[in-house]
Every structure is written in structure tokens, then in C-alpha cells.
Amino acid sequence: VIGVLLVLSPVVNGWYVLWILPFACLVGNKPWLLFSFLVMASYSWWYSKELAPTLRWFEYLVFYAVLFLWHIRTKEKLAKIA
């Protein structure tokens, strides 16, 4: 639930995602590990203000794509077990 609130919030800074890292490492949740690194793209406006919106889209599109693929793969593994 807290992860959903974090992803849907209008502002996500790097240190907001930092508390997820230990749990993502313990559980092996690859999408949240990736998101914790991709969120650093929010600081791209320091580099180029024109490039920042593009990097923001890239950040979230990659996260949601990996999350979707991870969910499908987990579902398939559970179906094979049952």
C-alpha cells in the first residue's frame, strides 16, 4: 500500500525510496530495486532542464514495464507450482 502511494505521489525524491531498498533486497523484488536507482533521474533537471521531462517519462515507463513483466513471471511460476 505504501509503495502504491509512493509511486502515485506527485513528488518522489531519492531519499523517499531509500527505505524500500532493504526490504526489496531481502525479498528480491527487482522492480523496486530498479526504481530506487531510476528515481535518481528526478535530479536530471540539474543537468538539463529540457531533458528532464524526457528522463522522467523514461524513469516511470521502465519501472512500470519491469513491474508488469515481473508480475507476469511471478504469476507463471505460481501457476506451475499449483
Side-chain angles (χ1 to χ4, degrees):
V1 173
I2 295 173
V4 171
L5 290 173
L6 183 65
V7 170
L8 294 178
S9 71
V11 177
V12 178
N13 292 319
W15 59 87
Y16 295 170
V17 183
L18 198 59
W19 65 270
I20 293 176
L21 230 82
F23 299 113
C25 289
L26 289 174
V27 176
N29 194 317
K30 292 177 185 174
W32 281 105
L33 284 171
L34 178 67
F35 185 66
S36 67
F37 293 107
L38 286 173
V39 78
M40 293 304 152
S42 65
Y43 296 106
S44 62
W45 66 273
W46 285 93
Y47 176 69
S48 169
K49 293 186 186 210
E50 295 82 26
L51 190 60
T54 305
L55 288 175
R56 178 65 69 162
W57 275 100
F58 173 76
E59 171 187 352
Y60 281 97
L61 285 176
V62 169
F63 170 69
Y64 285 125
V66 170
L67 184 66
F68 179 72
L69 293 173
W70 179 78
H71 178 68
I72 289 176
R73 186 174 296 165
T74 304
K75 227 176 176 184
E76 287 174 355
K77 286 181 183 177
L78 288 175
K80 288 180 182 178
I81 293 172

